[in-house]
Amino acid sequence: MATAAATAAAADVPSCRDLPAAVSAFADAFVDFAVSGIFFPSTPTPSPPPPPTPTTFLPSPTRLVAIGDLHGDLPKSLSALRLAGLVPPHDPTSWSAGPTLAVQLGDILDRGGDEIRLLYLIRRLAISAAGQGGALLPIMGNHEVMNVSGDFRFATPQGLREFSAWAGWYRAGLAIKRRCARGGDGGDPPPKNPFLGIPKEFPGVKPEFWDGIRSRLAALRPDGPIARRFLADLPTVLVVGDSVFVHGGLLEANVEYGLERINAEVSEWIRGERGANAVAPEFVRGRDAVVWLRRFSDGVNCDCQRLEGVLGMIPGAKRMIMGHTIQTEGINAVCGAQAVRVDVGLSRGCGNGLPEVLEINGGGTNVRVITTDPAEAWQYRKQGAEKAAIATAVKEKKGEVKEGLALLVRESHGLKEVQAKAA
């Protein structure tokens, strides 16, 4: 009788076979909140898989907003989001702009200590926006490409600490999931360990930064958990109505190659479908790459004729909106407003520029710059030493000055494209 009762009682206890989805969802929610302080909405049914290719073409919305480079600065990024009317004053995870479509021009990573929290915030806001018929769409910047490539020259000690903290919580989540890993109880297969094959020592770098570098590699290498979740579905080029959004710029060869093809190949690389140590696709590498080009964003002497020719290859395109190059005078346009430059050096790690956003209404007929209220602008005004610091930041953006981890090693090339051994 006792044995029969014990058997019956055991039958009433849920096994891993009954709980794998719930355990996995709990572990993910636990890690999300521990890392970012954000809960993502739970769904009663599994989320549909992301499309194999990021979105490239979208129709013109009633209101379109462009925000420049953020570079790991959460408070300043929130200033820009509020300035654009995308979030309410006291709830940064709620979308307040209805059907507005907002594009963030890339370079969320590097130069600051809030990189992961920014990725989480932007993704949470994108979910909230979709529920109201709006959208928040970041695109790839050169610093996202660099980090997926293992090039951490512009990571900061604060950024490394953030990734170390993420790694600790992520390992805790893995431990929870392993309790229902496939075995005698028939649960899910063991979760993949992204830390396998990654070096534990980095000669030439101070040992105090080794764990941060290792954590960053695990998170951001092709098919790494942060790369796959937050970067793999981002477009590299996005055309919204008559506006072309790209971090650096486009040349004729890029359009001829195919904007959708570029987006697909970058996405495949980040998802690890080309191998754990595959190099970045050609069109995001080199001086004239779509995330590196400065031909139309640096100074007033643009090659306007060439820009007009490139835009003419994209049906209906009237303007190219770019980040990447700091505009010390604020958001501006040249070439008859065909080249619009929106990187204001917002981040405190990259100029501490005055928050500004670009707004396009009426299907492209009404374009204006929204700038910080004069009552608040005093804290961003550039004077004396600050101007010199911004000039240095501009040089750093162009690779003329070493900063971040580049200052922590004997030769900065020691941090370029660190590879992980195949697991």
Side-chain angles (χ1 to χ4, degrees):
M1 287 289 292
T3 303
T7 302
D12 292 333
V13 177
S15 69
C16 278
R17 184 183 294 104
D18 305 312
L19 297 176
V23 170
S24 181
F26 168 78
D28 290 338
F30 166 75
V31 174
D32 287 347
F33 187 77
V35 170
S36 67
I38 293 174
F39 277 122
F40 285 80
S42 59
T43 54
T45 57
S47 301
T53 303
T55 300
T56 305
F57 296 95
L58 289 172
S60 182
T62 54
R63 181 175 185 249
L64 178 61
V65 168
I67 301 172
D69 306 24
L70 302 180
H71 280 306
D73 191 329
L74 182 60
K76 292 292 294 292
S77 299
L78 286 172
S79 295
L81 292 168
R82 293 188 182 109
L83 186 64
L86 303 181
V87 298
H90 305 297
D91 185 4
T93 63
S94 294
W95 185 259
S96 61
T100 297
L101 193 162
V103 180
Q104 192 278 320
L105 271 292
D107 277 9
I108 298 168
L109 299 178
D110 285 338
R111 305 181 187 278
D114 303 322
E115 299 161 277
I116 296 177
R117 280 170 286 185
L118 265 178
L119 290 170
Y120 270 92
L121 174 64
I122 290 171
R123 183 55 55 95
R124 181 63 184 86
L125 273 177
I127 294 171
S128 180
Q132 298 185 31
L136 174 57
L137 299 173
I139 67 174
M140 290 291 291
N142 63 303
H143 283 265
E144 282 71 52
V145 172
M146 290 169 69
N147 276 271
V148 177
S149 299
D151 183 343
F152 301 153
R153 283 172 292 164
F154 298 98
T156 64
Q158 296 86 350
L160 292 183
R161 285 194 289 270
E162 188 187 33
F163 274 87
S164 286
W166 164 85
W169 291 114
Y170 192 83
R171 287 188 179 99
L174 285 179
I176 294 172
K177 292 182 180 182
R178 286 196 185 104
R179 291 189 173 273
C180 274
R182 179 167 293 159
D185 204 19
D188 277 353
K192 182 178 179 180
N193 184 350
F195 302 93
L196 292 178
I198 295 181
K200 295 183 178 180
E201 298 181 1
F202 301 89
V205 180
K206 294 180 180 179
E208 65 196 84
F209 299 114
W210 287 357
D211 184 68
I213 294 172
R214 189 166 190 266
S215 301
R216 199 174 182 100
L217 273 170
L220 292 170
R221 63 170 167 170
D223 198 32
I226 296 293
R228 175 175 277 275
R229 183 176 183 185
F230 296 111
L231 303 181
D233 60 349
L234 303 189
T236 302
V237 184
L238 178 65
V239 181
V240 182
D242 57 8
S243 299
V244 180
F245 292 89
V246 60
H247 183 70
L250 292 176
L251 296 177
E252 298 88 345
N254 309 137
V255 183
E256 290 171 355
Y257 190 77
L259 305 184
E260 290 176 311
R261 187 177 174 188
I262 291 173
N263 283 346
E265 291 182 0
V266 174
S267 180
E268 290 168 2
W269 168 61
I270 295 173
R271 291 198 303 266
E273 295 175 8
R274 297 181 167 212
N277 286 317
V279 298
E282 176 184 359
F283 285 107
V284 291
R285 286 186 287 121
R287 184 180 297 273
D288 287 339
V290 297
V291 295
W292 284 99
L293 188 72
R294 298 189 193 273
R295 187 182 297 268
F296 308 126
S297 61
D298 195 3
V300 295
N301 297 317
C302 258
D303 189 344
C304 296
Q305 185 175 359
R306 188 166 189 184
L307 173 62
E308 185 176 4
V310 173
L311 289 173
M313 298 173 68
I314 305 171
K318 294 182 179 179
R319 67 186 66 85
M320 190 178 297
I321 301 175
M322 297 158 283
H324 189 44
T325 303
I326 292 176
Q327 309 296 313
T328 55
E329 70 272 36
I331 293 174
N332 64 84
V334 294
C335 298
Q338 287 186 315
V340 184
R341 296 90 71 90
V342 300
D343 180 7
V344 295
L346 179 80
S347 170
R348 287 167 294 178
C350 196
N352 196 27
L354 186 73
E356 291 186 340
V357 299
L358 183 75
E359 180 184 69
I360 302 175
N361 292 311
T365 59
N366 182 10
V367 182
R368 70 179 182 127
V369 175
I370 305 176
T371 192
T372 302
D373 188 290
E376 301 177 12
W378 63 270
Q379 59 188 313
Y380 305 116
R381 288 206 173 99
K382 308 168 182 64
Q383 301 185 24
E386 291 182 81
K387 289 184 178 180
I390 291 171
T392 299
V394 172
K395 290 182 179 179
E396 289 167 349
K397 287 278 277 185
K398 297 179 182 179
E400 297 171 11
V401 177
K402 293 200 297 184
E403 60 146 349
L405 285 186
L407 296 176
L408 306 177
V409 296
R410 290 188 293 270
E411 293 293 338
S412 63
H413 63 70
L415 284 172
K416 285 188 178 180
E417 301 187 7
V418 181
Q419 292 189 341
K421 297 177 182 177

